Amino acid sequence: MTDYPFGDRPESLPEDLQALSQSIDRAALARRGQSLNLLALLRLLEQQHRDICETLFRDALPDNRQHLYALLRDIEVSGGWPYIQRMKLQALLANVPDLDFDTLFPTTVPTIDEDRFPGEEK
């Protein structure tokens, strides 16, 4: 099992953001082992991320070169653009040992002759 939290969070965050981070950690830990409840938490965080990006952040974008440079410099120096990565299907299914990926995801594409309804003749 992976340890959580990883502990690589910036310590230079303002006090309110540190408290928010700790609250999110507590919420995640309270749902440890509960995939549906953790998924609900991730969906909530993704929605919050999207809402902030599409409203408050967009409204606060730089309106001159100096502010744009400062923003781009911060993105470069402080870790890039915030991004919520979605899990790949194979990573999601990796914990199910008896799945046969070749059967589940065939690599062959049916030809037109094979593309018939069940019981349909040529």
Side-chain angles (χ1 to χ4, degrees):
M1 184 187 289
T2 306
D3 288 335
Y4 180 88
F6 295 119
D8 60 352
R9 307 241 168 62
E11 296 186 16
S12 61
L13 288 174
E15 199 173 300
D16 63 329
L17 293 183
Q18 286 181 7
L20 178 60
S21 178
Q22 292 167 356
S23 181
I24 292 168
D25 288 343
R26 282 192 301 276
L29 288 169
R31 291 158 178 78
R32 185 187 297 254
Q34 304 170 26
S35 59
L36 291 176
N37 290 328
L38 287 166
L39 184 60
L41 176 61
L42 289 171
R43 285 178 176 149
L44 173 65
L45 293 171
E46 180 182 25
Q47 183 62 47
Q48 293 290 126
H49 176 265
R50 189 174 320 127
D51 290 348
I52 292 168
C53 277
E54 293 174 1
T55 58
L56 299 172
F57 183 73
R58 185 164 299 188
D59 293 345
L61 286 175
D63 57 0
N64 65 48
R65 286 186 202 174
Q66 290 82 12
H67 294 150
L68 177 61
Y69 176 78
L71 176 68
L72 294 174
R73 184 75 178 138
D74 183 77
I75 289 171
E76 182 180 331
V77 170
S78 298
W81 187 258
Y83 174 73
I84 296 181
Q85 183 174 357
R86 293 182 181 228
M87 184 177 278
K88 301 268 190 251
L89 184 58
Q90 275 192 317
L92 179 66
L93 299 175
N95 290 335
V96 184
D98 56 344
L99 277 182
D100 179 14
F101 282 102
D102 294 332
T103 303
L104 195 57
F105 304 107
T107 55
T108 59
V109 177
T111 64
I112 291 183
D113 289 339
E114 296 170 331
D115 190 19
R116 286 192 276 299
F117 290 105
E120 185 179 17
E121 298 295 321
K122 282 187 176 181

